[in-house]
Amino acid sequence: MWEEQQLKKAVRLPQGINVDTSLHKSRPMKIKFDPSVSLPPVNLEIVKKRLNTRITSLQDLHRAHQREHEKYTHDVESSKSTIQELERSSNAALNYKFYRSMKTYMESLIDCLNEKLLHINELESAMQMLLQQQAVTRLKHRQEDLKNESAYVQLLSRKNGKSAGDGLADDEKTKQLLEKSEARRTCRRQARESLGKSDHHEGMSSDDELSAAEKTDFQKNKGDILQESKKICEDVHADFCNIRNILLKFQQWRQKFPDTYYDAYISLCLPKLLSPLIRIQLIGWNPLEQNFIGLNEMPWFRAIEEFTDAKNMPQSKRNDDPDQTILPTIIEKTILPKITGFVEHVWDPLSTSQTVSLVQLCKNIFEEHSLSKNESSKAKEDLVNSIVSRMKKSIEEDVFIPLYPKNAVEDRISPQSKFQERQFWSAVKLLSNILLWDGIILEGTLHELGLGKLLNRYLLLILLNAPPGPDNVEKCNKVVACLPERWFKELKSGSTLPQLANFSQHLLQSAHTLYKNNCSDETRDLILLLVKVNALHVAEDFIEEYKLEHLKSIVGK
């Protein structure tokens, strides 16, 4: 068997002979070279040609593969674009849903506010009318007391100080009014003494006490209005009446889609949108009260501050964000008109407490909220004009300083002297209240009101008719204490303000009289007052005239 296998390997068997199939499959046949067969001639050109053909074929195959690769790459990019478009189409649906919800929310909010606006206006008017009636009642009481006492004292003067037997003193109503007025003064005097306040003069109190019945009625009506104001939004969801919740909706818009938020000019819409809700919170607000709630302590103010805080702004808008104007616009469009209403109808310029509160509020608003830089602000201009107009009216209607015979006034306990003193100090208080507006009202306007109309027309007349002495010096000292020091620091020359020329001459004449009467302390005080009002040339001439070397140091200061 082995031999047979070897023979089969060595000899090529012709066709038709049986060969073991398994052996044939397992062992490949070797082709035996037949030398008798002739081969085609081979040369370099044929080899080169065949190689070029092979190279061309491979290049074509490479280009085909490259085209196929590019096709696959394009298909991948196209698939990615399709995926992104599908994703964007999904975001567009979400964006559309958000904008649709904001549109529905805004329409519902505006409808709600329009429905409540009439009730808000009614309650605002009711509270304004209540405060105005209270102010009118106080003013009426004061004017009636002034009229009755003036008529009574005038009658006494005509009777040469004798008792008014069958005149106004016999009028029971007049006597009762005068007694009530004196009782109120006595109560205030006792209250000041209990508090240790000694630097006070009769007439410097506002004398605006209301009766117990009037106070009770006022508090009841005020409580009813405030109770009604709480019911305005009791049937409204917090998202439509709570300012913080409303601003949260817009804050979400600003964070998600800042471009469309700013393109919609939301900073111009929010002040008008929030105004009704802010007015609800301001129905019980009275800036003329002592210790009134400041604007920055109110919930709406804090909510808007948080909304406009730079930390909550998009990074691209933090340096120049229109939302920073929301708060100043609200103050200008909503707060200042309300304050103007208080000035025109409620404020009493003779009340120091009311004036101090109002001045402090205006300074805070103008300085902290950039309104002082906006000189074209119509609301600010209206407020300032209302303040000036109200002070002019007070000077014309509330100031009354009568002149009586010298012998009646020199008697410190006479009714004429007491009445004149009270009226003088009341006018001094008004002067002080007017000059508290320095820095808010134009300086020239204050010069005209305080110095031209009040000091030179009323106060100086009493000072000129009073005999020089400690009492006159004290009055002059109080007048100078009302004047802002800033007015005189800006004066470069040694002369005082033109409106103080007559007052300075009065100080000089009083100093001459007191020095001749050997009143050195009072003389020194008057020279010091001349220095304070910057009448340096007058003071220097007086010192040189009397060779008062020890007073030169005062002028040098």
Side-chain angles (χ1 to χ4, degrees):
M1 184 181 294
W2 181 81
E3 288 178 354
E4 185 179 355
Q5 291 174 351
Q6 295 301 317
L7 288 174
K8 289 179 179 180
K9 293 178 181 180
V11 180
R12 182 178 182 182
L13 297 178
Q15 294 182 357
I17 300 178
N18 256 343
V19 181
D20 187 0
T21 306
S22 63
L23 182 62
H24 179 73
K25 289 180 179 180
S26 62
R27 297 183 181 273
M29 291 179 62
K30 292 184 179 181
I31 301 174
K32 189 175 179 181
F33 176 72
D34 187 0
S36 62
V37 179
S38 63
L39 298 174
V42 178
N43 55 33
L44 184 60
E45 290 298 326
I46 295 173
V47 173
K48 183 178 179 182
K49 182 178 180 181
R50 289 186 176 180
L51 289 174
N52 287 335
T53 303
R54 179 65 176 168
I55 289 173
T56 303
S57 175
L58 292 174
Q59 287 176 345
D60 292 341
L61 181 62
H62 174 69
R63 282 192 292 271
H65 289 165
Q66 194 172 24
R67 286 192 297 271
E68 188 175 6
H69 176 267
E70 291 176 356
K71 178 179 178 298
Y72 290 150
T73 302
H74 179 268
D75 290 343
V76 170
E77 295 296 330
S78 177
S79 299
K80 289 181 179 179
S81 300
T82 303
I83 292 172
Q84 291 177 356
E85 290 177 1
L86 291 173
E87 290 177 348
R88 282 196 295 268
S89 64
S90 176
N91 289 336
L94 294 175
N95 297 349
Y96 174 77
K97 183 179 180 181
F98 174 81
Y99 289 127
R100 186 62 181 268
S101 65
M102 280 300 298
K103 180 177 182 294
T104 304
Y105 173 77
M106 288 294 299
E107 290 174 348
S108 302
L109 177 60
I110 293 173
D111 290 342
C112 174
L113 294 177
N114 287 335
E115 182 182 344
K116 302 296 182 182
L117 200 56
L118 180 61
H119 197 189
I120 295 172
N121 293 338
E122 290 176 351
L123 292 179
E124 270 189 334
S125 299
M127 181 62 77
Q128 184 76 15
M129 186 62 65
L130 182 64
L131 294 172
Q132 185 175 346
Q133 288 176 352
Q134 185 190 52
V136 169
T137 300
R138 288 173 170 172
L139 181 61
K140 185 177 179 181
H141 287 176
R142 186 169 66 215
Q143 291 179 345
E144 287 181 352
D145 290 344
L146 177 61
K147 180 180 178 181
N148 292 331
E149 188 168 6
S150 175
Y152 176 69
V153 174
Q154 189 67 28
L155 181 62
L156 290 181
S157 299
R158 287 200 302 267
K159 293 179 176 294
N160 296 322
K162 296 180 181 180
S163 175
D166 53 0
L168 285 177
D170 291 332
D171 188 343
E172 292 298 328
K173 183 178 179 180
T174 302
K175 288 196 298 184
Q176 290 176 2
L177 290 174
L178 294 177
E179 289 173 358
K180 288 180 180 180
S181 179
E182 184 61 33
R184 291 196 300 270
R185 282 195 291 267
T186 302
C187 291
R188 291 195 299 269
R189 188 186 310 114
Q190 292 174 351
R192 289 193 301 270
E193 291 174 354
S194 63
L195 296 175
K197 295 181 179 179
S198 57
D199 187 19
H200 185 88
H201 298 274
E202 293 290 346
M204 299 190 75
S205 298
S206 297
D207 193 16
D208 54 5
E209 291 90 348
L210 297 175
S211 66
E214 290 171 332
K215 289 180 180 179
T216 302
D217 187 55
F218 172 80
Q219 292 299 333
K220 180 182 180 302
N221 292 332
K222 180 180 178 181
D224 293 341
I225 295 174
L226 294 179
Q227 193 65 30
E228 284 295 320
S229 69
K230 295 178 182 178
K231 298 179 181 179
I232 295 178
C233 295
E234 64 179 2
D235 60 342
V236 181
H237 191 274
D239 287 345
F240 298 93
C241 64
N242 186 291
I243 292 179
R244 192 178 298 275
N245 291 2
I246 295 173
L247 292 176
L248 183 60
K249 294 280 187 181
F250 289 95
Q251 185 173 345
Q252 292 172 354
W253 184 2
R254 186 175 61 190
Q255 290 174 346
K256 290 182 179 180
F257 312 106
D259 293 337
T260 58
Y261 172 85
Y262 290 106
D263 289 342
Y265 297 100
I266 300 300
S267 60
L268 300 179
C269 302
L270 280 177
K272 187 174 182 180
L273 189 68
L274 299 177
S275 178
L277 299 176
I278 294 173
R279 288 163 56 192
I280 293 175
Q281 298 188 31
L282 294 176
I283 287 178
W285 182 63
N286 187 352
L288 302 180
E289 294 178 344
Q290 288 182 312
N291 303 320
F292 69 95
I293 300 177
L295 294 177
N296 55 356
E297 299 175 8
M298 295 184 178
W300 66 267
F301 191 95
R302 293 197 295 266
I304 296 173
E305 271 192 329
E306 293 174 6
F307 178 76
T308 57
D309 190 351
K311 297 177 182 177
N312 300 323
M313 302 293 174
Q315 188 68 32
S316 60
K317 289 287 185 179
R318 290 187 177 179
N319 294 329
D320 185 21
D321 183 55
D323 284 350
Q324 297 295 327
T325 63
I326 292 176
L327 194 54
T329 302
I330 289 175
I331 291 176
E332 182 173 354
K333 301 297 184 182
T334 303
I335 305 301
L336 291 187
K338 189 173 185 67
I339 298 174
T340 302
F342 276 98
V343 170
E344 293 177 347
H345 305 295
V346 184
W347 175 46
D348 179 11
L350 269 176
S351 173
T352 301
S353 60
Q354 290 185 13
T355 304
V356 169
S357 299
L358 194 58
V359 168
Q360 188 60 47
L361 175 64
C362 292
K363 284 185 177 180
N364 292 340
I365 289 177
F366 295 158
E367 293 174 2
E368 295 181 9
H369 303 291
S370 303
L371 290 179
S372 58
K373 299 177 183 178
N374 186 9
E375 298 299 337
S376 61
S377 169
K378 179 68 166 56
K380 177 185 175 184
E381 183 180 350
D382 291 343
L383 174 58
V384 172
N385 291 338
S386 298
I387 293 170
V388 174
S389 177
R390 185 65 187 89
M391 289 191 297
K392 285 182 179 178
K393 183 178 179 182
S394 182
I395 293 174
E396 295 170 358
E397 297 181 358
D398 295 329
V399 178
F400 172 69
I401 305 179
L403 294 176
Y404 297 113
K406 186 176 181 181
N407 57 351
V409 175
E410 289 178 350
D411 184 4
R412 305 294 295 174
I413 63 174
S414 67
Q416 294 90 337
S417 177
K418 289 182 178 181
F419 181 64
Q420 188 185 77
E421 283 287 297
R422 283 197 299 269
Q423 293 307 112
F424 174 85
W425 288 113
S426 177
V428 170
K429 183 181 66 169
L430 180 59
L431 174 65
S432 176
N433 293 345
I434 289 175
L435 298 185
L436 287 176
W437 291 100
D438 180 49
I440 300 176
I441 307 298
L442 292 177
E443 189 173 309
T445 303
L446 291 181
H447 288 175
E448 178 188 356
L449 291 176
L451 305 183
K453 290 183 176 296
L454 191 51
L455 175 60
N456 291 333
R457 187 179 299 178
Y458 294 101
L459 298 177
L460 191 58
L461 189 62
I462 298 299
L463 294 175
L464 292 174
N465 290 326
D471 181 67
N472 192 278
V473 172
E474 182 184 10
K475 291 178 179 178
C476 294
N477 193 19
K478 289 293 183 181
V479 170
V480 173
C482 298
L483 307 176
E485 295 182 2
R486 183 181 63 84
W487 289 0
F488 308 106
K489 290 181 179 179
E490 297 175 358
L491 295 176
K492 302 301 181 181
S493 63
S495 301
T496 187
L497 296 171
Q499 294 86 351
L500 292 175
N502 293 335
F503 180 69
S504 299
Q505 285 300 316
H506 167 69
L507 293 178
L508 178 62
Q509 295 301 325
S510 299
H512 282 296
T513 303
L514 290 173
Y515 181 77
K516 294 176 181 178
N517 294 335
N518 296 323
C519 299
S520 58
D521 293 338
E522 286 78 5
T523 303
R524 183 182 183 279
D525 292 339
L526 292 177
I527 298 302
L528 185 59
L529 293 180
L530 286 170
V531 173
K532 286 183 178 180
V533 299
N534 203 62
L536 301 180
H537 294 331
V538 175
E540 290 172 353
D541 293 342
F542 180 85
I543 292 174
E544 290 295 330
E545 181 179 353
Y546 293 102
K547 308 298 181 183
L548 303 176
E549 299 295 332
H550 63 286
L551 296 181
K552 287 186 176 181
S553 58
I554 298 177
V555 180
K557 294 179 182 180

